[in-house]
Amino acid sequence: MNAPADMKFCQSCAMPLSDDVLGTEKDGSKSQEYCQYCYKDGAFVADCTMEQMIEICVPFTVEAHPEMSAEQVRADMQQYFPQLKRWKQA
């Protein structure tokens, strides 16, 4: 799952961010940090733990990357997700 260095990712689910999938802030402006599936109207769509988010994301990532097993995707996410803004420990 290599990506260009300047590519942005949702800081909740790690989905690659493009203008067509950006979430929205309370004022209706586009969020530059979160996707529409995680963030809408300035709030997170789902109240879940990082582990629950990983389990939600595994099937979508396996579908997008069929060369990877669910176990491999899950292990990668368990390493990467703690670095995302939503899950980073203060």
Side-chain angles (χ1 to χ4, degrees), residues 14-82:
M15 176 183 193
L17 288 178
S18 57
D19 287 344
D20 58 330
V21 297
L22 293 176
T24 55
E25 300 293 348
K26 280 185 182 180
D27 64 4
S29 65
K30 296 286 187 176
S31 169
Q32 296 303 308
E33 297 184 318
Y34 299 105
C35 76
Q36 63 188 351
Y37 306 108
C38 291
Y39 198 72
K40 184 177 181 183
D41 299 328
F44 290 110
V45 174
D47 180 19
C48 62
T49 66
M50 183 183 77
E51 291 75 20
Q52 290 168 325
M53 180 61 76
I54 288 171
E55 291 309 313
I56 291 167
C57 295
V58 166
F60 295 106
T61 305
V62 169
E63 185 178 330
H65 298 276
E67 72 280 4
M68 298 178 72
S69 69
E71 294 74 23
Q72 186 179 6
V73 168
R74 187 174 292 107
D76 286 354
M77 288 180 176
Q78 288 167 342
Q79 292 293 311
Y80 186 65
F81 273 43

